[in-house]
Amino acid sequence: MSDKPASKSKKPSLTSQRRAARSFALQALYSWQLTGNPINELEAQFRVDNDMAGADLKLFSELLRGVASRKTELDETYEPFLDRMLDDLDPIELTTLRIGTYELVQRTDMPYRIAINESVELAKIFGATDSFRYVNGILDKVAQRVRMAEIREQRERKKG
């Protein structure tokens, strides 16, 4: 047996805190989409009803409020890449696309590949069987439009 004292439980990594925030944001935005309840009420309800100790609460709030306030703008950003009408999207796909598009457009401090990957992971967890592929394809096209300079720079680095 080791003489070392038992370690205290570690604080979740920033990556896992952000992933938890996105997961809660997806669920809250899904509820908002279906019920139309005010965002501030949903945010308060989620903070009370869920153990959010392992989540990045600042990101949760930003996603919730940012996606809700920019819904039309976000929808207009990815809608040209859809193969169906916006109203025909599964509610989880729709919410995931809104979160991913929000992060691609508003959170330019985050590499585009991470923004896409995080949305793909949400779609894998909450969406239909192959919805993650659909989300990935749409967000990749959004990134080509809104993050072109970043993508070009990465390609140049790979070449040289």
Side-chain angles (χ1 to χ4, degrees):
M1 281 192 90
S2 172
D3 292 339
K4 293 181 183 179
S7 65
K8 295 180 182 174
S9 62
K10 293 194 302 185
K11 183 178 177 185
S13 70
L14 185 57
T15 300
S16 66
Q17 289 177 32
R18 288 180 175 168
R19 185 160 285 169
R22 287 182 187 97
S23 176
F24 284 123
L26 175 87
Q27 294 171 67
L29 287 163
Y30 176 82
S31 178
W32 169 71
Q33 200 172 280
L34 294 180
T35 66
N37 290 341
I39 285 294
N40 60 337
E41 287 179 18
L42 284 169
E43 182 174 6
Q45 177 186 345
F46 263 74
R47 287 177 182 249
V48 169
D49 293 348
N50 297 284
D51 178 8
M52 298 181 77
D56 180 337
L57 295 178
K58 184 178 175 194
L59 178 61
F60 167 72
S61 184
E62 177 188 347
L63 290 174
L64 197 57
R65 293 171 183 277
V67 169
S69 68
R70 291 180 168 87
K71 177 182 87 78
T72 302
E73 171 192 334
L74 297 171
D75 290 350
E76 289 170 353
T77 301
Y78 63 79
E79 194 168 19
F81 308 116
L82 298 178
D83 63 355
R84 56 191 110 152
M85 300 300 295
L86 196 61
D87 293 342
D88 293 336
L89 286 175
D90 173 83
I92 293 293
E93 284 177 349
L94 179 62
T95 306
T96 305
L97 286 170
R98 286 176 176 161
I99 290 171
T101 302
Y102 176 86
E103 291 198 294
L104 286 169
V105 172
Q106 298 295 322
R107 298 199 39 115
T108 55
D109 58 314
M110 177 190 313
Y112 78 96
R113 289 180 189 222
I114 292 175
I116 293 171
N117 185 61
E118 289 299 317
S119 289
V120 166
E121 291 303 313
L122 286 174
K124 284 180 180 177
I125 295 167
F126 295 101
T129 304
D130 285 333
S131 68
F132 73 93
R133 288 187 172 101
Y134 188 72
V135 166
N136 185 53
I138 300 299
L139 292 179
D140 186 56
K141 290 173 183 168
V142 169
Q144 297 291 328
R145 179 174 285 168
V146 302
R147 297 280 192 99
M148 183 47 92
E150 179 185 349
I151 293 168
R152 202 175 290 134
E153 184 180 312
Q154 273 194 351
R155 288 179 185 155
E156 292 301 318
R157 269 193 252 141
K158 283 183 180 180
K159 287 180 185 177

